[in-house]
Amino acid sequence: MIVLNEVRRATYLDSIVLMRLSRQVAALPGVVEAGLFIGTPANKEILRAAGILGREGEGADAGDLILALKAGDAAAAASALAQARRLIDRPEMAGAPAPPGALRTIRAAVEAMPDANLALISVPGHFAADEARKAMALGLHVMIFSDNVPLADEAALKCAGLAQNLMVMGPDCGTAIIAGVPLAFANVVPRGDIGIIGASGTGIQEVSCLIARAGRGISHAIGTGGRDLNPEIGAIATLMAIDALDADASTQHIVLISKPPADAIVRLVLERVGRSAKSFTVCFLGAADVAAPANARIAHTLKAAAASALGEPPPGPLPRAQGRQRRGWVRGLFGGGTFCAEAQLMFLDAGLAVASNVPVPGAVAVADGGHLMIDLGDDIYTRGRPHPMIDPAVRDAPLAEALADPAVAVVLIDVVLGLGAHPDPAGHLAGVLAGRKDCTRVVASVTGTDADPQRRADQVRKLAAAGVTVAESNADAAATAIAALAGSAERLASRP
Amino acid sequence: MSLGCEPCLAPGSVKREAPVIAILRAGALAGELVARGTTAHVAAVFARSLYLRAGETFLCVGEASIGDGPLTLIADGVIGDLGLRAHQGASISAHAIRIGNAVEFRLDRCKPWHSPGWPAAVPPARLIETSAALASRAAVAAPPEGLARFALSGAVAATPLARVAASPIARFHAWLDAALAQDCAPEVPLHGLIGLGPGLTPSGDDFLCGSLAMLDALAQRRLHAALAAAVAAAAPALTSPLSASLLRAAAAGHVGEHLHDAVAALLAGDVEAAIAAARQIGHSSGWDMLAGAATALRLISEPKIRRDS
């Protein structure tokens, strides 16, 4: 074994960057153990106890950064150290400033790119409305990725946008595909004739990927932000998006995705849908008894919405169990809030009580015991740390807890691929599950396409190799979990 | 390589194109430093903030989303795209902070920020319940890279950090127990805890910041003074200069907005609010501060329960 240390004098890196670098260095080929610590006496004790403190590290001061690694041989150690240096030197990893020449203002960006007609705003929520106003003053549509923007600001921005005929997508708009260009968290899907309008980012991703995997394509996918159908906003962005897709010659069918809005908003939106010459699929997840106009079909799940857009019949009844039946509860650990909602609806449809930290109508707030669906993208899990779609380690501890709980029979998870997402979420999950028995009780869906940077087929293969049961969609994963429960056959038989 | 300081620019020599950003609020200690005026250099640049080093004191200039703090200046603008780099020289005066030709932070509109007073605590029995509930949440929700999971839940020391931390934390418990039982506090055993752990501010330092805040909040003057004196004396040799600067502030009774909110929530018995506030602080630092605060809370509340019963 070879131990190598490198000391960076008076170097301060952000804690999250240090943590990520530490993991990346430890995962380099040939590295047995690695650590990245400031050189305090107490930290040297950790490195000494791990057998990776060398002479250089011993000489570090408390304000220095020590990179310490142990590798199987000298060549592997030298190669790993060289790669580790490159990782530490990558300015974007340290959250360092943009390189010289980068544009600092929206005005400068417009001067550099005068044909631009859309600005993507991703700044702390406190500043997002001001930046959006600057962009709109320059005649740009805006997509506001930022969250924590006050509702009153959203209403004011959207009213101003309506007056100027500028679309305000968001705030908290995480996904869009405009004229084939994916924005923020989106998947690489072919161009086609189906348009999507969604208040939910992961909802847009799931439907667009299911359509792409069926061989069709997307004209535009327009995110509206999760609150657009609130009465205070009045569906301004949704209605403008319908106008836009209605007038778009490349769009033949339009899919609408949202949580159930208030009755008045439902009427407002469906009245506009009814005036269109195009066909629609309306998926108000969890809404009951929506009276659709003649040119629209109602879908109750994201999978059903994709099937409807493809002109296929609605999905059939829940499948019967394929493997052995299990006694216990289902624990869902979701990065996508819409997936968490869809799974709850599937359980309620199957006559099963379900709880969640973000309950849909009919579900209950988190309680001890019972089927439990957790949205790990909820603010309480993501404040001060990355979203689970960026850093899948957010799920590690809840997953370990669920697998260690004898009352949990099945664990449901979502793996979301695409631009902006983690480069290898399945690989990370497989690492977490390595050495554990009975991983078939982990049921996963993989949202993505083979054109995504992570390549869906590779991700599915990694999960299957780890023993995970992989379903075709999130709805299928929930159905698989339900079917795996002891007594499901009787319960399904008793359902109307 | 040392942190060299470039020649600082004289007032008025900033090029016209350098952006001017207003400072909205200054923490108590930051305000004192800028009022005195000094020279400094950029020690670190992050996505939402930068650190200026002036002697042994570090000033943080950050966007509003990072929260107020005793050594923090809140800027009315975006920090991350200013093109700043470590070692650039800076001049600090009561009117402005100038960093080379890169940026001028104006202090004309700056208002002072002080952490608010501590709220009254719920009864000791509720405080014990709160500590227990926090320990349960820490067992699954605290980041495995920090100390909180091990220190709060009593979990097996499963990580190298936890194994090394086990003894110093046990010694800290023993000190607090003994100090509570005696009129004069025994010597505080900080060796092995201060400067321990990963991150910009080591976990052990965060733990001590949390403990100091809770001792202050519970008006444990004697214990706070003993711990504060020990921390201030030990920090320069045992932890990084940046973390030592923050520890000295905590020892002087100054805590940041998010730590204040977390401790206040614990005193109110609201575990989820405490966790939410702690998560604003950083990946593991907030949880480690919570661990220190909750440790002090439990050890102080338990004897009260015993006395009452």
Side-chain angles (χ1 to χ4, degrees):
Chain A
M1 291 288 175
I2 300 292
V3 171
L4 287 181
N5 284 187
E6 175 152 314
V7 175
R8 298 288 178 108
R9 299 292 174 198
T11 299
Y12 296 100
L13 296 180
D14 181 80
S15 292
I16 288 182
V17 173
L18 281 170
M19 178 193 71
R20 282 194 193 143
L21 286 174
S22 198
R23 283 185 193 161
Q24 285 177 293
V25 173
L28 289 173
V31 173
V32 177
E33 190 136 15
L36 194 60
F37 288 92
I38 59 170
T40 62
N43 283 344
K44 287 181 191 171
E45 185 55 40
I46 295 177
L47 298 174
R48 204 174 288 121
I52 56 174
L53 185 65
R55 202 175 55 212
E56 298 87 347
E58 289 279 11
D61 290 332
D64 301 337
L65 186 65
I66 303 175
L67 165 65
L69 61 84
K70 181 159 67 177
D73 56 56
S79 169
L81 185 62
Q83 289 191 61
R85 282 183 186 133
R86 278 196 291 275
L87 286 172
I88 293 174
D89 289 338
R90 279 172 61 187
E92 67 275 18
M93 291 300 298
L103 299 164
R104 292 181 179 179
T105 65
I106 292 171
R107 181 175 295 280
V110 170
E111 285 169 3
M113 194 187 287
D115 293 336
N117 69 348
L118 187 148
L120 198 164
I121 310 286
S122 178
V123 297
H126 182 65
F127 306 105
D130 282 347
E131 293 304 316
R133 285 189 192 98
K134 289 177 195 170
M136 291 164 70
L138 294 166
L140 302 176
H141 302 283
V142 292
M143 172 177 172
I144 305 175
F145 183 80
S146 317
D147 57 4
N148 295 316
V149 176
L151 189 62
D153 281 343
E154 178 174 350
L157 285 172
K158 286 184 168 170
C159 286
L162 185 61
Q164 299 172 65
N165 200 27
L166 294 173
M167 177 96 70
V168 176
M169 302 158 64
D172 202 11
C173 178
T175 300
I177 304 171
I178 305 298
V181 179
L183 299 172
F185 292 111
N187 300 89
V188 182
V189 298
R191 300 280 321 258
D193 61 0
I194 299 172
I196 303 176
I197 300 166
S200 143
T202 42
I204 292 176
Q205 288 189 268
E206 176 82 333
V207 173
S208 63
C209 288
L210 288 170
I211 289 170
R213 298 213 298 270
R216 297 279 295 277
I218 303 300
S219 57
H220 309 275
I222 300 175
T224 63
R227 301 181 304 203
D228 189 64
L229 279 77
N230 282 15
E232 296 87 346
I233 307 297
I236 291 174
T238 301
L239 295 172
M240 290 180 77
I242 293 175
D243 289 345
L245 293 186
D246 216 0
D248 176 49
S250 66
T251 302
Q252 299 303 315
H253 183 87
I254 299 167
V255 181
L256 266 177
I257 306 167
S258 161
K259 291 177 201 161
D263 287 347
I265 302 297
V266 170
R267 284 195 296 277
L268 184 69
V269 171
L270 293 183
E271 185 274 331
R272 175 63 189 85
V273 167
R275 283 193 284 115
S276 172
K278 295 183 178 176
S279 61
F280 280 71
T281 295
V282 178
C283 178
F284 289 148
L285 272 172
D289 303 329
V290 175
N295 61 333
R297 295 185 290 271
I298 299 297
H300 292 288
T301 63
L302 299 171
K303 182 187 179 188
S308 167
L310 292 164
E312 296 172 355
L318 297 175
R320 298 298 168 91
Q322 297 291 313
R324 69 182 174 89
Q325 299 271 286
R326 300 173 187 274
R327 293 194 178 280
W329 306 116
V330 176
R331 179 80 51 87
L333 301 170
F334 296 95
T338 304
F339 293 145
C340 182
E342 187 181 41
Q344 293 175 63
L345 293 168
M346 297 283 293
F347 273 65
L348 293 171
D349 279 351
L352 296 167
V354 65
S356 175
N357 59 327
V358 187
V360 301
V364 297
V366 170
D368 288 337
H371 303 301
L372 175 62
M373 304 296 152
I374 299 175
D375 175 7
L376 294 168
D378 190 33
D379 281 352
I380 194 161
Y381 292 98
T382 56
R383 273 187 198 131
R385 59 192 305 188
H387 190 280
M389 278 164 55
I390 301 170
D391 183 2
V394 172
R395 181 156 43 201
D396 291 356
L399 178 60
E401 183 197 19
L403 291 172
D405 187 342
V408 174
V410 181
V411 180
L412 256 180
I413 57 175
D414 58 342
V415 174
V416 183
L417 313 180
L419 302 160
H422 187 273
D424 185 15
H428 177 89
L429 191 61
V432 173
L433 294 173
R436 290 184 181 272
K437 293 177 182 170
D438 196 16
C439 289
T440 55
R441 68 192 177 113
V442 179
V443 180
S445 65
V446 181
T447 299
T449 69
D450 283 348
D452 280 330
Q454 304 89 345
R455 198 166 179 269
R456 185 176 184 274
D458 292 344
Q459 295 287 298
V460 169
R461 198 175 301 120
K462 285 183 186 180
L463 291 174
V468 173
T469 304
V470 183
E472 187 60 17
S473 69
N474 182 62
D476 287 332
T480 302
I482 293 167
L485 296 174
S488 62
E490 296 79 357
R491 186 168 45 253
L492 293 172
S494 69
R495 299 291 296 166
Chain B
M1 188 173 72
S2 65
L3 271 180
C5 182
E6 292 178 359
C8 297
L9 294 167
S13 65
V14 174
K15 289 180 184 173
R16 279 188 187 161
E17 63 268 26
V20 175
I21 297 177
I23 295 293
L24 301 176
R25 293 184 298 281
L29 301 179
E32 288 174 13
L33 187 74
V34 296
R36 286 200 301 273
T38 184
T39 58
H41 65 263
V42 176
V45 182
F46 303 135
R48 296 182 295 159
S49 63
L50 64 96
Y51 277 90
L52 293 170
R53 182 173 184 176
E56 291 308 308
T57 301
F58 285 71
L59 280 186
C60 176
V61 183
E63 299 171 13
S65 59
I66 69 168
D68 287 286
L71 286 162
T72 300
L73 299 160
I74 297 295
D76 186 19
V78 178
I79 300 294
D81 64 355
L82 291 173
L84 300 175
R85 63 186 190 279
H87 313 316
Q88 279 181 290
S91 66
I92 299 175
S93 75
H95 306 293
I97 298 172
R98 296 189 179 97
I99 302 177
N101 289 321
V103 63
E104 177 177 291
F105 294 103
R106 296 292 307 176
L107 292 152
D108 316 55
R109 291 163 50 196
C110 178
K111 293 182 176 167
W113 179 84
H114 299 272
S115 59
W118 298 110
V122 296
R126 277 283 307 283
L127 295 176
I128 296 284
E129 289 170 11
T130 303
S131 297
L134 182 64
S136 298
R137 292 282 279 117
V140 292
E145 293 84 2
L147 277 181
R149 187 176 293 199
F150 160 74
L152 279 176
S153 71
V156 175
T159 65
L161 171 63
R163 284 193 286 276
V164 172
S167 291
I169 287 182
R171 286 198 298 271
F172 183 77
H173 281 208
W175 168 76
L176 200 47
D177 263 340
L180 281 163
Q182 299 171 19
D183 285 339
C184 77
E187 188 179 341
V188 190
L190 291 180
H191 195 83
L193 184 56
I194 196 165
L196 175 68
L200 183 66
T201 54
S203 295
D205 296 6
D206 295 328
F207 182 95
L208 290 167
C209 276
S211 296
L212 282 163
M214 184 55 80
L215 292 174
D216 189 35
L218 293 173
Q220 293 284 336
R221 310 267 177 253
R222 182 175 56 86
L223 298 182
H224 184 272
L227 182 57
V231 163
L238 296 180
T239 192
S240 73
L242 189 152
S243 193
S245 178
L246 297 171
L247 267 176
R248 278 195 302 275
H254 298 283
V255 298
E257 175 187 0
H258 298 314
L259 175 57
H260 179 277
D261 291 348
V263 169
L266 287 180
L267 294 178
D270 189 341
V271 170
E272 293 307 322
I275 293 172
R279 279 188 166 142
Q280 303 265 19
I281 296 172
H283 174 66
S284 57
S285 285
W287 269 105
D288 291 334
M289 289 179 185
L290 265 188
T295 297
L297 182 67
R298 181 173 61 79
L299 293 176
I300 290 166
S301 301
E302 280 176 347
K304 287 184 180 173
I305 294 279
R306 286 198 292 272
R307 275 199 310 273
D308 293 348
S309 62

